Each structure stands twice: as structure tokens, then as C-alpha cells.
Amino acid sequence: YQEATQTLPPRRQPVAAAAPGKKDKPMARFVADVTIPDGTEVAPGASFTKTWKMRNDGAVAFPAGARLVNVGGDLMEGAPRPVGAHGPGEEFALGLELQAPLRPGRYIGYWRLQAPEGHHFGHRLWVDVRVAEGASAAAAAAGEGASSPAAAEGQWDWSLVSASESMMGEGQPQTPDTVSEASGPTAAPAAPAPAPAPALA
């Protein structure tokens, strides 16, 4: 008598999904500051719009639901804002509405794009301003080239930033720490000395 044995087929091991390649990840590159360059002076409590020129340097479009979020530094009343699904190679303007703090001093806020799943991608962006008593409203007005951050996105005249690109180099922003501490309002010219009084006879 010989006992029959049953041979079972080998168990298939689950195959792990391949991790997405670097080329499949979204990439946002800083190109130039459109408004409010580093070290701009603003009045306490002034509202202004910071706008960056950006480019999708990846091989895929930005994911639907991507947004610009604060990742550190001074918030300056900024709020997360949605970013369009820009395709590979597309350049666009990215604007952010902010409000200067009331206390004079230097303030820097850091921002980055975030996918719906929560991971960040692309270059880190920043806003670097100096709040000074008596600062004119010119800096805030410079940020109003577009009526709103949403309207600014993808609808900017890039000739306006050609000068900043030539000075800074495309995609190579100055770091906030390189801003000179000596920068400030231009000193008023000295008043002329009074003419000497005529001699008495």
C-alpha cells in the first residue's frame, strides 16, 4: 500500500510596485522675483503681493490639488493657495497676498509647493522684507502688477523681470542671509550752510 501525496504549486510572492522614477516626480523651479525683491522696505501693516516667476522643470504636470504652503519663518498673514496643473516646461507667475507685521524689523517667510498627499516638491521660495516706519507705499504698489495672485498665474508680461534675471541669474536666487545689513533708506542730502551775515560798518 502506497499513500498518495499531493504536490502543491509554489506560492507566488507579491511583487512590490516599482517606485516612481525621478523623472515622474513633479518639479517646480524658481526663475526670478517679479515683485518685492529681497530686502524691500514696507510700511508697518502694509498689504502687498509677492510674485515669483516659476517653471515646471519636471516631466509630468503638477498634480491636481497642489498648493503653495508655508514651511517656516514669518507667516505675515499668508494663507495656502492653490496652484494650477501646469505642464512640463510651462512658465507661470505665482503670487501670494501678505501683510507686513506692525513692529519694525526684518521678516522672512518660507514657502513651498505641496502635493495633495502632503509631500513637498520643487524649490523653496521665500519672502524677505524690512518693516520700517515711514516707508512709502511704493513697495506695496509694486506688488499690484497683477490684480490678484490667481489672476497673476500664467498671465504676466515676462519682459518686466528681464532685468532681475540678468542680475541674479536664472534659477539662482540670492539667499536671505546675503542681503546687506547696511541697506536702508537713502539719506537726505545735507542742507546748505547759511550765508555769512554782512559785516557792520
Side-chain angles (χ1 to χ4, degrees), residues 10-37:
R11 244 172 131 185
R12 286 183 177 272
Q13 296 295 329
V15 179
K22 188 175 182 180
K23 65 171 61 175
D24 300 325
K25 296 180 179 180
M27 173 60 191
R29 178 176 293 277
F30 166 88
V31 178
D33 287 312
V34 179
T35 63
I36 314 296

Side-chain angles (χ1 to χ4, degrees), residues 69-76 96 107-112 120 124-127:
V69 299
N70 180 266
V71 292
D74 301 299
L75 188 60
M76 290 183 272
L96 183 66
Y107 295 87
I108 304 174
Y110 297 95
W111 298 77
R112 206 171 174 197
H120 300 104
R124 186 178 64 165
L125 307 172
W126 57 75
V127 186

Side-chain angles (χ1 to χ4, degrees), residues 154-176:
Q155 300 180 22
W156 193 270
D157 180 1
W158 296 129
S159 65
L160 299 175
V161 295
S162 58
S164 66
E165 286 186 21
S166 62
M167 289 188 297
M168 296 171 58
E170 183 178 310
Q172 299 296 327
Q174 295 180 348
T175 62

Side-chain angles (χ1 to χ4, degrees), residues 29 34 37 41-42 44 55 74 76 78 93 98 112 117 143 176 183-184 195:
R29 178 176 293 277
V34 179
E41 284 197 350
V42 295
R55 182 173 64 240
D74 301 299
M76 290 183 272
L98 299 163
R112 206 171 174 197
E117 297 80 12
S183 62

